[in-house]
Amino acid sequence: MSQSVHRTDVVIVGAGPVGLFAVFECGMLKMRCHVVDALDMVGGQCTALYPEKPIYDIPAHPAIEAAALIDRLAEQAAPFAPTYHLGQQVEKLTRSDEGRWLVETNKGVRIDAQAVIIAAGCGAFGPNRPPLDGLESFEGTSVFYMVRRRQDFAGKRVVIAGGGDSAVDWALSLAEVADKVSLVHRRAKFRAAPESVARLDALAREGKIEMVVPYQLAGLEGSDGQLTAVRVATLDGEEKAVPADAMLAFFGLSMNLGPIADWGLDLERSHIAVSLPGCATSAPGIFAIGDIATYPGKLKLILCGFSEAAQAAHAIHPMVHPGEALHFEYSTSKGVPGA
């Protein structure tokens, strides 16, 4: 356990796209940042859940894969040399008599900062796991809850379970590279975009996707972490085995605020209430941006989170540099310091 205390200007809780852009915005105002994230990589849900899915509403990018967006944001933040503390969770925030904040993680890292920006997305999240005997022995080797690289499933027999957008979208995508895709759902109706369902029906008629409906998961077959088949059953209990090398289960995410709920901040329906402009929370020196923040008229869009990052950085500047006038300049005029 670390006993030393890092000292910085701003601690950013969350290394997703909005947290990474907050590093840039703070850096442009000459404020140093430490970034803490529970995942062992930057990018948040963009990296963990849908790295190869295109995002269509990022300005100047008609389409950009989530992983590519994170790469560019990390590159944009790099000139300001942020310190990353990955694979750990902020557990405790303590305000000092001087008005600064001591941030402590579950791995013993302690950071003293003038301000804290919470950019933790939806808080702690994890997949809803199907209740199957022996599931743990297959997880991470042939049972997965996300797709990091589509090519990992090339030439394989893939069973996809679920009836929402993720299940349908990945069935459509993996049908292009997998040996066989079988889609398991308890009913024939899917909760996905109509155009995606239409494409799914077309590929099923062409024999490129096997529709295993109405069935639900009943068990797994295989050994040493490698699947050979997924057992499915009707509501009447009629079972059959679907040959499989890998299974993707898309039953949604369980999300909660985790330790954030205990930090004494004003909350509204599991979101942190903030005031505009600046995205300040009910605690002095703590700000919240991105999906975790809420205010009247809030839109949960990445581009809105980028704007909130800029607002928070400008609100923090007089706390870090008291008495220093901030003369607004466009980046085209002042460039990127240190780049």
Side-chain angles (χ1 to χ4, degrees):
M1 300 287 282
S2 171
Q3 296 300 316
S4 62
V5 179
H6 303 278
R7 188 176 176 90
T8 192
D9 297 322
V10 181
V11 168
I12 299 172
V13 182
V18 173
L20 291 174
F21 192 67
V23 174
F24 172 80
E25 286 294 326
C26 288
M28 291 292 284
L29 300 181
K30 300 179 181 178
M31 296 187 296
R32 298 164 297 128
C33 295
H34 280 232
V35 185
V36 183
D37 198 288
L39 298 177
D40 60 2
M41 54 196 165
V42 301
Q45 293 188 39
C46 286
T47 301
L49 300 183
Y50 48 89
E52 293 186 333
K53 290 190 71 173
I55 301 173
Y56 298 104
D57 56 1
I58 302 300
H61 290 280
I64 183 171
E65 289 187 353
L69 174 63
I70 296 304
D71 288 343
R72 300 308 300 271
L73 287 166
E75 179 184 352
Q76 190 175 27
F80 305 107
T83 300
Y84 292 103
H85 306 276
L86 302 177
Q88 51 196 297
Q89 191 174 51
V90 174
E91 289 193 328
K92 188 176 180 182
L93 290 177
T94 307
R95 195 164 188 238
S96 70
D97 293 338
E98 295 78 26
R100 295 175 64 85
W101 287 95
L102 179 64
V103 179
E104 301 178 71
T105 78
N106 62 325
K107 290 191 176 180
V109 171
R110 305 167 75 217
I111 313 166
D112 176 84
Q114 185 65 57
V116 176
I117 297 177
I118 302 172
C122 299
F125 64 91
N128 291 319
R129 292 172 165 82
L132 301 175
D133 291 339
L135 175 68
E136 296 82 2
S137 64
F138 295 99
E139 289 180 319
T141 53
S142 53
V143 170
F144 307 93
Y145 304 100
M146 64 189 75
V147 177
R148 295 190 188 278
R149 292 178 63 254
R150 192 173 73 145
Q151 282 303 118
D152 291 342
F153 299 90
K156 294 184 177 181
R157 300 168 298 173
V158 182
V159 169
I160 297 176
D165 283 306
S166 294
V168 172
D169 288 349
W170 281 116
L172 296 175
S173 178
L174 293 180
E176 299 174 1
V177 298
D179 178 59
K180 180 182 180 182
V181 172
S182 303
L183 182 57
V184 180
H185 189 39
R186 66 182 184 276
R187 55 181 180 170
K189 187 175 182 179
F190 290 85
R191 306 178 310 280
E195 58 271 22
S196 297
V197 174
R199 289 179 58 203
L200 179 69
D201 291 339
L203 290 177
R205 289 193 299 270
E206 295 171 11
K208 295 181 179 179
I209 294 178
E210 179 188 13
M211 304 295 287
V212 186
V213 293
Y215 283 87
Q216 54 192 359
L217 300 180
L220 304 173
E221 297 179 4
S223 60
D224 299 323
Q226 180 55 58
L227 279 178
T228 56
V230 175
R231 294 200 314 277
V232 297
T234 65
L235 295 179
D236 297 326
E238 177 186 341
E239 286 198 14
K240 70 176 182 178
V242 181
D245 302 306
M247 182 179 81
L248 288 163
F250 294 115
F251 297 117
L253 299 173
S254 58
M255 300 183 182
N256 62 77
L257 288 179
I260 296 174
D262 301 322
W263 293 350
L265 305 174
D266 286 349
L267 303 176
E268 293 181 11
R269 297 183 179 180
S270 297
H271 293 74
I272 300 174
V274 302
S275 58
L276 298 179
C279 296
T281 71
S282 57
I286 299 182
F287 301 77
I289 61 177
D291 283 357
I292 201 165
T294 187
Y295 51 83
K298 166 78 176 188
L299 293 176
K300 284 192 173 184
L301 298 173
I302 293 176
L303 64 91
C304 292
F306 291 163
S307 172
E308 293 160 8
Q311 291 186 55
H314 279 76
I316 292 169
H317 180 269
M319 302 169 59
V320 174
H321 302 294
E324 180 180 312
L326 177 58
H327 300 290
F328 180 80
E329 291 183 88
Y330 293 110
S331 62
T332 50
S333 300
K334 67 179 180 179
V336 176

